Amino acid sequence: MAELELVPVHTRILTHKDNIVDAIKEYAGKDITDRDIVCAAESVVAITQNRYVRPEELSPCWQARLMNRFVPAEGSMASIYGMQAAMEEEGRWRMLFWFIAAAFAKIAGKNGLFYAKCRQASLCDDVTGTMPPFDKCIVYGPADTDHVCEEIVKATGAYGAVIADVNDLKRAAVLGKSRGLDPQRIAKILIDNPFGNASQKTPIVIIKNFRDLIEA
């Protein structure tokens, strides 16, 4: 049986003028088989969907300024602009409600309620949170993730596809998947972050021989 192998795929810088499915076919199509999983980095998928904004285009509201005073100095909500960007997607009153609710939940010993209810709060990449030239932008989480994954499978003939949010702190999450995949299993495979969204320009990773693992 062939061994599982993670193959990063080098691309040029992808922008909102690109289609992620076409880019995967262009740069990885010849290497993908019906035994493989295609993985795309969530920030790059979002960029190709034109889901980003420059801070100067935002006007932070009082809710964003208030909430920003109570969050850590790192992460996607570190700046009032990151907070405002998430509010543009989630709604300012909804975010404020869940922010307050999460504070009481934390006192009761339950963590993570705010990010569970307001997904863009965890998915937004604040300024410097992604690769140049988009390091001066706030990048939202990608849209229609499951649909995009199905389109990737259809276009490439892969066994499956995922859109993943992975970092160098051993945190991995699958945000979108094609039918039949176990997102937690794929996240564990990607835990060491094989992506390179900066100078490496490897926002696509092929998990080779995954089908062999399933059928073993």
Side-chain angles (χ1 to χ4, degrees), residues 156-172:
T156 64
Y159 179 77
V162 300
I163 295 171
D165 181 13
V166 188
N167 63 32
D168 293 328
L169 302 176
K170 302 273 185 191
R171 295 175 183 170

Side-chain angles (χ1 to χ4, degrees), residues 94 98-122:
R94 170 182 166 80
W98 285 114
F99 192 83
I100 295 171
F104 284 103
K106 189 170 185 177
I107 293 173
K110 182 178 180 180
N111 295 322
L113 181 64
F114 175 65
Y115 292 104
K117 295 295 183 179
C118 301
R119 290 292 291 144
Q120 285 298 328
S122 61

Side-chain angles (χ1 to χ4, degrees), residues 112-142:
L113 181 64
F114 175 65
Y115 292 104
K117 295 295 183 179
C118 301
R119 290 292 291 144
Q120 285 298 328
S122 61
L123 294 179
C124 279
D125 287 330
D126 209 341
V127 173
T128 74
T130 190
M131 67 289 198
F134 300 100
D135 55 340
K136 295 179 174 60
C137 299
I138 298 167
V139 180
Y140 297 106

Side-chain angles (χ1 to χ4, degrees), residues 186-204:
I186 304 298
K188 288 180 180 178
I189 293 173
L190 298 173
I191 196 68
D192 289 324
N193 193 12
F195 296 98
N197 292 344
S199 59
Q200 305 96 327
K201 300 187 187 73
T202 53
I204 302 162

